[in-house]
Amino acid sequence: MFNNMFKNKSNNKLLFIKPILFILIILILFIELIKIPFPKLLNITNSNLENFHNNNNNNKINKDNINIHNINIHNNNIKLEQEMEFKKNELNVLSSKDSKDIFYNNSYLNSMNDINIKARGFTNLEEIVQKYKNESIQDITDEEQNALFWFIQHLIIKADKLSPFIYNQLFNKNVMIAKSNPWLEHNMPHTHKNVIILTQNWFDGIVKKEKDNLVMSALNNEGSTFIHELLHVHQRFNIKKYNKLYYKLGFVKPKYIHNSHNFIMKNRCNPDGNDLSWVWNDKKNNTYYMIGAIYKNNNPTNIVDVSYISREITRSDKNIFNYSNIKEDVPLYNNDAFREYFNIFNNHYHPNEIASQYMEFYFNKILDNNDDDDDDDNSQGYKIFNKEIDKILYGKQINIKKK
């Protein structure tokens, strides 16, 4: 009897202790979980991206526990500025002393031939290398840094499904931002390695717009430029992914092009598209074209002294082509097949530049909350880009539900 009583009491105690132990285990796990820094808590999923919307004019986020690459935005109606403030010091901005690192043993500079050196106002390669290494970058002021962070904040919150890509590139992949001296590359924005080099005019624009709180103006203008250049950095580190896209756009990599030396040597060097071995195949008419930014003469006064040219070439074997003097150079804007297929021309003579221009279209459609096929981007080339870009950036197609 006493034995049974003891057993009953023991069973009662166990019944009481079990839930307490369970609660304690849960509490310990919770305490350990909240110790994990933000970067370890985050993943990209379709549902996460679908939640990442800004549907009011107060720059607030309306969803709980939104996870985007290494940022956790949570709680209803918390302003972006409060959520992003802890990242301010992690934005990678360069100073004038970093010129040496950017241009040390730089393959772009090493590729310069005489006509490209002359177009930049120099007489020899050693002179251009020294100038670029020592005087290309200027300091970003405190005012400009504050405006830059203001711009990045709004870019991330407004960019919808591009937000994880932008955030990841800036805070995880260590993309850096520099300000050029006006003489550098004819005062045009461009990239080297993992560095986006923006102009004084670009910084002046965001400083003014921050003061006037012109968010959408900054995103539509300076934002388009930034997205364009950010994709150039991504291209540089994901060559195989972009090459697959370019093949789908009709570009091919020839094994050899006979008699093409003069055409190639007269091309303007471009740090964002310096591989000139691409040929575009107009599949509709079964024709092939070399395309380039060709200097107008042998003594260019600057790097914009070029014409955007297409030259039809013939294929003699599976991947062997011939450049013939019988064919004539045709301005790219007069190449009907190219213009119809891509609906862009002018500076978009290289697949890297075409993709970055399409990225601007893509970004602007997000800002406009517009999924329709507009006249500006209703082309076969853009449709292919639009279909492939999510897989390039994220490894899979991402769908955002319109609200």
Side-chain angles (χ1 to χ4, degrees), residues 108-109 111-122 128 132 185 264-270 274 276 293 295 298 300 302-303 306:
Y108 170 66
L109 293 183
S111 72
M112 295 278 185
N113 57 10
D114 288 343
I115 196 168
N116 275 285
I117 292 171
K118 188 180 296 184
R120 287 161 178 79
F122 299 95
I128 196 172
Y132 273 62
E185 296 297 300
I264 291 173
M265 295 303 288
K266 289 174 68 176
N267 261 275
R268 177 180 64 194
C269 288
N270 175 1
N274 219 28
L276 302 175
Y295 287 110
N298 292 326
N302 54 62
I303 63 172
V306 296

Side-chain angles (χ1 to χ4, degrees), residues 191 228-229 231-236 238-239 242-243 245-246 249 251 270-275 278 344 347-359 385:
T191 69
H228 181 112
E229 301 304 331
L231 198 73
H232 280 321
V233 173
H234 196 250
Q235 290 162 352
R236 190 170 286 122
N238 296 274
I239 293 172
Y242 284 96
N243 282 357
L245 170 64
Y246 301 158
L249 291 173
F251 286 95
N270 175 1
D272 298 323
N274 219 28
D275 179 1
W278 290 102
I344 51 177
N347 189 41
H348 310 110
Y349 60 95
H350 190 283
N352 285 358
E353 294 294 351
I354 291 170
S356 280
Q357 179 59 60
Y358 279 165
M359 190 62 155
F385 173 88

Side-chain angles (χ1 to χ4, degrees), residues 333-387:
Y333 58 79
N334 283 339
N335 187 319
D336 294 337
F338 186 92
R339 191 174 66 247
E340 179 184 342
Y341 188 88
F342 292 107
N343 200 26
I344 51 177
F345 43 92
N346 199 22
N347 189 41
H348 310 110
Y349 60 95
H350 190 283
N352 285 358
E353 294 294 351
I354 291 170
S356 280
Q357 179 59 60
Y358 279 165
M359 190 62 155
E360 289 189 47
F361 290 164
Y362 188 81
F363 173 66
N364 289 328
K365 288 182 69 159
I366 287 174
L367 293 182
D368 295 339
N369 194 29
N370 179 13
D371 291 332
D372 298 329
D373 289 331
D374 299 330
D375 290 340
D376 288 342
D377 48 39
N378 188 18
S379 64
Q380 188 173 349
Y382 180 77
K383 286 176 181 176
I384 292 171
F385 173 88
N386 191 46
K387 182 180 178 181

